[in-house]
Amino acid sequence: MLAKEINFIERFKARASHAAQVQSRVKKLEKIDRVEPPKRRQSVAFEFPPAPRSGDDVAHLRGVDKSYGSRVIYQGLDLLVRRRERCCVLGVNGAGKSTLLKLVTGTTAPDAGSVTLGGSVKMGYFAQHAMELLDGESTVLETLDAAFPRAGQGSLRTMAGAFGFSGDEIEKRCRVLSGGEKARLVMALMLYDPPNFLVLDEPTNHLDIATKEMLITVLSQFEGTMLFVSHDRHFLAALSNRVLELTPEGIHQYGGGYTEYVARTGREAPGLHA
Ligand SMILES: Nc1ncnc2c1ncn2[C@@H]1O[C@H](COP(=O)(O)OP(=O)(O)OP(=O)(O)O)[C@@H](O)[C@H]1O
Ligand SMILES: [Mg+2]
């Protein structure tokens, strides 16, 4: 409409016969508030800095028992996660996926058995409710700065930019951030100082498609080991090379990634998002 009106004014402003019409259009246009079109978020490429290499056995669970009250989640669980494996954990709600990740990260202790991490393992953990742990009063930049006090402002800003916080957005307080923004901030915190073992519990739940794709791209370049839970088909298919399925009968393991799992079992993961 603006373009059309401006065009009309340009064409007829020199003609006395159209003076009234031109005048009224000029007045009309003056009354219109011009709004900037929404900025498309700039996605800055994020290059995974190389992490120090870990030992070959990354996480080892031996004879692990875990119950909550009378609810038995694991009994005599043995599991070895080796370097460069990207294990996805499948199972219905309540199957014990988060519990497995908590055992591996030491967030919860086994009732019996042992959980050991291999030599030189540097872990990054994205917990299912990690975003709730951000300090609401701190800004994005303050949060990054508090986590990495020795990093320069420039590199923190670059990192924030790679995760979609451009310009003034790093001055936003965490309490006003959307779910997706919080998730992106937690990712930036996790990846700034590159780990070699990533434990991710539903990392893409609050992410928009563009950020999810960016994360998949970033993680596919990751040279370390991954243990993760996801209900996202593309995330699972792109990143896994081993499948652990939690069933009432115990853990079923499949070599090969999610795509091979689907081919072999003839079904998708339980609880998959479209
Ligand atoms: N701290 C706790 N106290 C008591 N019960 C718990 C505790 N944590 C988990 N549970 C129970 O243990 C079971 C496994 O929980 P877990 O969080 O590992 O499931 P999940 O597979 O991650 O499920 P979801 O897909 O919903 O995230 C559930 O029945 C849950 O209610
Ligand atoms: Mg869970």
Side-chain angles (χ1 to χ4, degrees):
M1 188 276 273
L2 279 175
K4 212 174 118 207
E5 299 294 273
I6 289 167
N7 194 19
F8 182 95
I9 294 166
E10 288 302 315
R11 262 175 73 198
F12 296 109
K13 68 183 174 193
R15 299 206 203 157
S17 60
H18 288 73
Q21 288 172 31
V22 167
Q23 268 312 311
S24 83
R25 279 178 168 78
V26 169
K27 285 234 173 68
K28 190 165 102 188
L29 291 194
E30 278 170 1
K31 286 194 196 126
I32 295 176
D33 278 334
R34 307 298 171 93
V35 179
E36 288 283 313
K39 265 188 305 180
R40 296 204 53 179
R41 215 172 55 231
Q42 288 290 315
S43 67
V44 183
F46 169 71
E47 292 237 342
F48 232 107
R53 177 188 165 133
S54 71
D56 285 334
D57 290 357
V58 173
H60 205 162
L61 285 72
R62 293 181 183 88
V64 165
D65 292 349
K66 181 72 189 175
S67 300
Y68 292 113
S70 60
R71 173 136 168 57
V72 177
I73 312 289
Y74 293 107
Q75 206 160 30
L77 171 65
D78 293 308
L79 179 70
L80 175 61
V81 178
R82 296 179 203 84
R83 194 171 68 86
R84 301 215 61 172
E85 280 183 337
R86 297 152 168 273
C87 305
C88 63
V89 184
L90 309 182
V92 296
N93 288 137
K97 303 181 296 296
S98 295
T99 303
L100 179 62
L101 272 51
K102 285 178 189 165
L103 287 164
V104 167
T105 55
T107 315
T108 192
D111 303 330
S114 67
V115 178
T116 45
L117 291 184
S120 317
V121 169
K122 193 166 152 202
M123 192 159 56
Y125 179 34
F126 184 94
Q128 195 168 357
H129 301 288
M131 296 124 58
E132 290 159 22
L133 302 177
L134 293 170
D135 170 16
E137 292 312 308
S138 298
T139 66
V140 170
L141 186 58
E142 285 165 359
T143 305
L144 286 165
D145 199 45
F148 307 104
R150 282 175 305 170
Q153 292 268 318
S155 77
L156 293 180
R157 279 173 193 272
T158 303
M159 189 67 181
F163 283 84
F165 298 98
S166 48
D168 302 346
E169 286 179 341
I170 57 171
E171 303 300 342
K172 278 190 188 171
R173 290 191 194 286
C174 290
R175 65 178 149 77
V176 307
L177 298 179
S178 70
E181 288 169 336
K182 284 182 190 163
R184 286 194 264 119
L185 176 55
V186 173
M187 294 288 164
L189 285 168
M190 185 180 67
L191 298 178
Y192 182 81
D193 193 8
N196 53 26
F197 181 32
L198 285 175
V199 180
L200 311 174
D201 202 345
E202 308 201 21
T204 63
N205 275 9
H206 295 271
L207 299 183
D208 56 55
I209 291 179
T211 311
K212 192 184 83 184
E213 294 303 317
M214 179 276 242
L215 189 64
I216 291 174
T217 307
V218 164
L219 293 178
S220 50
Q221 293 155 19
F222 177 63
E223 303 222 312
T225 308
M226 283 171 64
L227 177 67
F228 65 97
V229 178
S230 172
H231 296 289
D232 184 276
R233 180 186 291 125
H234 185 197
F235 195 87
L236 287 167
L239 297 173
S240 62
N241 61 18
R242 184 180 174 198
V243 175
L244 307 175
E245 184 176 21
L246 309 185
T247 75
E249 293 81 48
I251 297 195
H252 291 179
Q253 305 201 25
Y254 301 85
Y258 180 71
T259 311
E260 285 105 310
Y261 161 88
V262 174
R264 204 150 356 136
T265 61
R267 59 188 159 77
E268 298 264 12
L272 196 74
H273 300 169

